Amino acid sequence: MSPSPSPSDRRTDPHLGTIVHVVGTRQARPNLPSTGCPFCVGGREAPEPYDVRWFANRWPAMPGERCEVVLYTPEHDATFASLGVPGARKVIDLWSQRTAALGARDDVDFVLVFENRGPEVGATIAHPHGQIYAYDHVPDRPRRLLEGKWEPDSTPGDRLVLRRDGWQVCVPYAATFPIALSVAPLEQVPDVVSLDGTARDALAGVLVDVLDRLDRLYDRPLPYMMWLNQRPTDGGEWPQAWFNIELVSPWRSAGVPRFIAAAEVACNEYFNPFIPEVLAEQLRALG
Ligand SMILES: [Zn+2]
């Protein structure tokens, strides 16, 4: 077979059903920009002053204007926690705006808002930013969460980190990563678009607090992955959809990653060295 000329060649494994986006064009993507930060004001992707900003990803993982970048702040050395509540609220409002705009498209069934922070999890640019992928189908994992009628843990017990202003943060019962947190509203809301101003301010406060604690857990910036689980935008009812945010890190101690290795990959079962109840206790103590 000759290489596909399209930017993305979506293949489905005939035995497992796993979807693989073969994206040869991303091999040409620079690991680091050659000159300056493209996200600082005056940089390639941010020519004008801004508070928060989105733009189409120059190196999309999927064709069809489905991949966007979200800049959290013009300050290169900021963190999500250092944005404070007003800054985090602007990010949440932009997440909502882009979710609504992309979700309104007929060819978008699911909007994934996410962030990779730190070179350890593949972020190539340090400037605080996240991304958005707009899928033309509902991917397997979010579909399984919906079919499993995901809702906030009603009995987190020792895994509770905080419950405040209508939001709960806890360590999942069967966390697959050494560091794993679930952030959810106690009242059912299907997506970030549906959060009112009060709920958005409260979420901003909770995220700033939790991400600050995570950076203090090992006294250094924690590499993390964060994503929003939202109602699909395929026109279905999805009455069970319950908005939530997942936050995970591979670090099992300072600078030491837990690798996803042969047994995990072979069997899709995880070995987690960090006891969820202990993580929750440590994060409560940092409050
Ligand atoms: Zn920058």
Side-chain angles (χ1 to χ4, degrees):
M1 254 185 276
S2 59
S4 166
S6 67
S8 167
D9 170 12
R10 192 168 98 196
R11 305 184 187 187
T12 302
D13 181 278
H15 308 291
L16 292 169
T18 307
I19 291 176
V20 179
H21 302 264
V22 178
V23 196
T25 50
R26 280 172 74 84
Q27 288 288 50
R29 184 174 60 139
N31 271 329
L32 282 173
S34 50
T35 53
C37 174
F39 300 166
C40 280
V41 174
R44 187 181 191 188
E45 308 289 8
E48 304 294 331
Y50 67 92
D51 285 330
V52 291
R53 172 179 168 79
W54 74 272
F55 56 90
N57 195 323
R58 199 177 286 274
W59 309 94
M62 295 180 283
E65 300 291 311
R66 295 176 181 279
C67 301
E68 299 183 349
V69 177
V70 174
L71 303 184
Y72 294 172
T73 166
E75 292 177 37
H76 186 84
D77 295 321
T79 64
F80 199 101
S82 79
L83 298 177
V85 172
R89 169 66 195 271
K90 288 177 186 167
V91 174
I92 292 166
D93 287 343
L94 187 53
W95 287 345
S96 170
Q97 182 195 325
R98 296 314 303 158
T99 296
L102 290 163
R105 281 170 40 176
D106 289 340
D107 63 348
V108 171
D109 285 356
F110 186 79
V111 179
L112 180 73
V113 176
F114 67 99
E115 176 185 358
N116 296 316
R117 202 281 287 263
E120 297 88 347
V121 293
T124 50
I125 297 171
H127 195 118
H129 71 285
Q131 300 185 63
I132 301 178
Y133 282 3
Y135 292 85
D136 66 359
H137 60 285
V138 183
D140 180 61
R141 188 174 184 278
R143 178 180 291 281
R144 282 191 289 134
L145 286 172
L146 288 158
E147 289 172 353
K149 295 188 167 51
W150 189 95
E151 58 181 41
D153 197 332
S154 58
T155 54
D158 289 346
R159 291 176 291 98
L160 182 69
V161 175
L162 66 86
R163 191 182 285 133
R164 189 173 70 217
D165 301 331
W167 291 84
Q168 173 174 289
V169 180
C170 68
V171 182
Y173 171 69
T176 55
F177 278 77
I179 308 291
L181 289 176
S182 169
V183 179
L186 292 165
E187 297 287 331
Q188 186 179 4
V189 176
D191 49 32
V192 68
V193 180
S194 306
L195 295 172
D196 63 22
T198 303
R200 291 182 188 198
D201 280 339
L203 172 60
V206 164
L207 286 177
V208 163
D209 180 358
V210 165
L211 286 163
D212 176 58
R213 294 190 206 193
L214 288 174
D215 278 347
R216 287 186 289 127
L217 183 64
Y218 298 131
D219 287 322
R220 64 185 76 179
L222 183 80
Y224 66 77
M225 297 175 264
M226 176 168 72
W227 63 90
L228 279 55
N229 292 314
Q230 311 202 65
R231 174 171 56 187
T233 58
D234 61 350
E237 285 290 317
W238 301 105
Q240 75 274 46
W242 197 309
F243 174 68
N244 64 95
I245 298 177
E246 292 185 77
L247 248 162
V248 303
S249 173
W251 276 10
R252 57 189 175 87
S253 60
V256 181
R258 182 283 310 266
F259 289 102
I260 298 294
E264 282 94 347
V265 177
C267 298
N268 202 22
E269 293 184 13
Y270 292 82
F271 298 87
N272 180 3
F274 207 145
I275 299 167
E277 289 77 7
V278 172
L279 172 63
E281 182 182 18
Q282 292 182 3
L283 290 174
R284 283 197 303 271
L286 290 169

